Amino acid sequence: MYCQECQQRPATLHFTKIINGEKNEIHICEQCAKEKGDFIPGSNSFSIHNLLSGLLNFEQHPLSESTSKARSQQVMQCSKCGMTYSEFAKIGRFGCSNCYKTFASKLDPVLKRIHGGNTDHSGKIPKRIGNDLLERKKINQLRQHLQQLIHQEEFEEAAQVRDQIKSMEKRLGGSD
Amino acid sequence: MSLKRFMSEAISPWMKNEGPDSDIVLSSRIRLARNLENHVFPLVADEQQSEEVNEQIRKHYENQAYGSVGNLSYINVDQLKVIERRVLVEKHLISPNLAEEPKHSAVLMSEDESISIMINEEDHIRIQCLFPGFQLSEALTLASGIDDWFEEKVNYAFDEKHGYLTSCPTNVGTGMRASVMMHLPALVMTQKIHRIVPAINQLGLVVRGIYGEGSEAQGNVFQISNQMTLGKSEIDIVEDLRGVVLQLIEEERSARNTLLETSKIQLEDRVYRSLGTLANSRIIQSKEATKCLSDVRLGIDLEMIEGISRKILNELMILTQPGFLQQYAGETLSPDDRDIRRATLIRERLKLEKNNE
């Protein structure tokens, strides 16, 4: 593909520009990009955060006036660091780890776009707090088992499972 | 200061060894982004909150030894002079970002400078391990070990679904950026690089210039790294990157052979002209210097030039950066002065090489 500006050099930079929901594909070579002063990798005008911000704001563009009014009445704001969703969308970065919970409902589509369709972690789990994670999973399973046992009126075994849960919860208690 | 002594201080000890495939792969790096639980991220933290994070890490890790690596020294970035900060950036030990906004930020560094841990960059903790040549798995093992060592004393912000929680959503999950720096002059000369870069991008990997995000490829040196951090394990990410790098090494070697077969005299001409420029210039701009250095390095790899060590490219690419030039000169220099000093330094360096023979 040739550069759409000079029609001479091969296009090495490919962009999709979205303005007010209208999509525009741009294919240019590095030299023309530089001359245009637009999209220069390394210049302050363009960074991964700008790109990300475009991605996040795009989510909000299709809103009509009435829905955006409704939205403004229930602004999503992190209770811990005070960051709002629109601030997050503007700078492309979270203010604290709690933001992940605050913006959870809007996060998956964003993460999918960034991480090739993935939304869930499948890498390393920290050893110390990770043990707790596994333990908590086990407690949940035991709780379900307990309900089942009560339902089946097997109270003796249920009592044992209850005690097991209690002792596990006690062990976890310190690090919660 | 003599150039020899200055060099020995300027070049990180880890760089002095040659790693596997170091004719093409200059270095391998693993970076892990981590944050402390219950602390807002550096971006929104106020003075006191930043200081708390800094202090919590300093008290546990300042002058502590990690395995065979030895002691980590703690450097307060805001107490460094502007030029000193620049020098750390040029050595890839801290990010440009940390140098520009050193608000309660610090770096923990191993003696050989293969490990640097930035505190209060975009994330609270950024563990970075650098190895010469192609040694990604080795770098991952070391970085992961340091990560475990940190986790013994501090609680990380982590959740089951999203993994390690980072300031930027592009890092969440593993928090890991694995990257290799490659010298690919033949792929550039044969223009094959234009076909290869988009293909690499489609595999979820990124190709950039040597100073990371947004920088230009200087002297045919490219940085290739993973884009995705979520949904794949650290080992899988490194393996995928490894596969692509191995292929690039093959491609570059075959392009070098093709050039030798089809246009040896033109190639020799280019290599020797560049050597001539470096050996004789009185004024040289950074861009021209890196281009010539790349040619000379290729000439060394192809055994056209003898008596100059391969490390000269890595060395001079660092030494001729503005920060180092000014540190060597011992004064602030205007861009024009820098071009003169750069030419002098390169000439001296080449002379030193000749005398060592």
Side-chain angles (χ1 to χ4, degrees), chain A residues 14 57 144-145 166:
Chain A
H14 309 276
N57 278 316
Q144 279 172 14
H145 186 49
K166 267 190 185 162

Side-chain angles (χ1 to χ4, degrees), chain A residues 150-167:
Chain A
I150 293 171
H151 193 69
Q152 291 162 359
E153 303 190 354
E154 293 185 33
F155 297 116
E156 213 169 306
E157 208 189 327
Q160 280 176 12
V161 172
R162 184 202 57 206
D163 291 346
Q164 198 186 344
I165 295 173
K166 267 190 185 162
S167 78

Side-chain angles (χ1 to χ4, degrees), chain A residues 4 50 61 110-111 113 122 124 138 157-158 168-169 173:
Chain A
Q4 64 186 49
N50 294 129
H61 278 316
V110 175
L111 293 177
R113 283 206 199 114
S122 56
K124 187 174 178 177
K138 207 168 167 193
E157 208 189 327
M168 282 175 83
E169 279 179 332

Side-chain angles (χ1 to χ4, degrees), chain B residues 285-353:
Chain B
Q285 287 183 355
S286 154
K287 208 170 175 183
E288 188 182 8
T290 45
K291 183 210 154 276
C292 291
L293 284 167
S294 168
D295 289 343
V296 167
R297 160 90 190 217
L298 179 65
I300 296 165
D301 288 342
L302 297 177
E303 293 170 350
M304 288 176 174
I305 299 176
E306 282 172 0
I308 301 177
S309 83
R310 212 184 242 173
K311 282 178 290 185
I312 199 165
L313 172 82
N314 308 30
E315 249 174 49
L316 282 175
M317 290 262 269
I318 289 179
L319 291 173
T320 56
Q321 296 287 324
F324 271 108
L325 283 176
Q326 296 181 73
Q327 208 196 32
Y328 183 49
E331 58 183 312
T332 315
L333 302 169
S334 70
D336 288 346
D337 285 341
R338 290 207 292 258
D339 293 344
I340 297 169
R341 292 276 184 161
R342 184 176 295 112
T344 314
L345 192 138
I346 293 171
R347 286 202 319 273
E348 279 180 35
R349 177 68 190 87
L350 285 169
K351 217 181 276 166
L352 203 68
E353 193 83 5

Side-chain angles (χ1 to χ4, degrees), chain A residues 31-96:
Chain A
Q31 205 166 322
C32 288
K34 236 179 248 175
E35 279 160 16
K36 279 185 71 145
D38 219 358
F39 325 115
I40 307 168
S43 79
N44 290 330
S45 61
F46 185 81
S47 75
I48 184 79
H49 296 116
N50 294 129
L51 191 70
L52 209 58
S53 171
L55 209 75
L56 298 165
N57 278 316
F58 177 55
E59 294 272 283
Q60 300 185 319
H61 278 316
L63 293 180
S64 68
E65 249 177 59
S66 60
T67 49
S68 68
K69 239 182 213 168
R71 176 69 54 88
S72 68
Q73 279 161 8
Q74 38 159 331
V75 175
M76 260 190 223
Q77 185 171 27
C78 179
S79 60
K80 199 171 162 205
C81 68
M83 187 170 283
T84 61
Y85 187 81
S86 59
E87 276 173 330
F88 164 62
K90 200 172 156 197
I91 56 174
R93 278 170 287 184
F94 297 103
C96 70

Side-chain angles (χ1 to χ4, degrees), chain B residues 48-108:
Chain B
Q48 197 197 337
Q49 288 163 325
S50 298
E51 184 49 38
E52 270 171 31
V53 169
N54 196 348
E55 186 51 29
Q56 197 180 338
I57 297 165
R58 194 194 56 75
K59 80 174 178 211
H60 289 307
Y61 296 98
E62 182 175 18
N63 291 321
Q64 292 298 302
Y66 175 76
S68 58
V69 170
N71 273 11
L72 295 180
S73 28
Y74 173 93
I75 300 162
N76 229 324
V77 180
D78 26 3
Q79 282 171 13
L80 295 177
K81 288 186 207 128
V82 176
I83 287 188
E84 291 171 324
R85 278 186 239 149
R86 234 210 118 123
V87 162
L88 290 180
V89 174
E90 289 169 6
K91 287 173 99 168
H92 299 278
L93 292 169
I94 65 172
S95 64
N97 195 9
L98 198 77
E100 276 160 32
E101 280 178 53
K103 184 183 81 170
H104 293 291
S105 56
V107 58
L108 283 162

Side-chain angles (χ1 to χ4, degrees), chain A residues 41-42 94 100 121 124 128 137, chain B residues 147 151 160-161 166-167 214:
Chain A
F94 297 103
Y100 280 90
H121 177 58
K124 187 174 178 177
R128 209 159 35 83
K137 264 190 182 169
Chain B
D147 180 42
E151 208 240 331
E160 215 175 333
K161 180 176 159 67
T166 52
S167 171

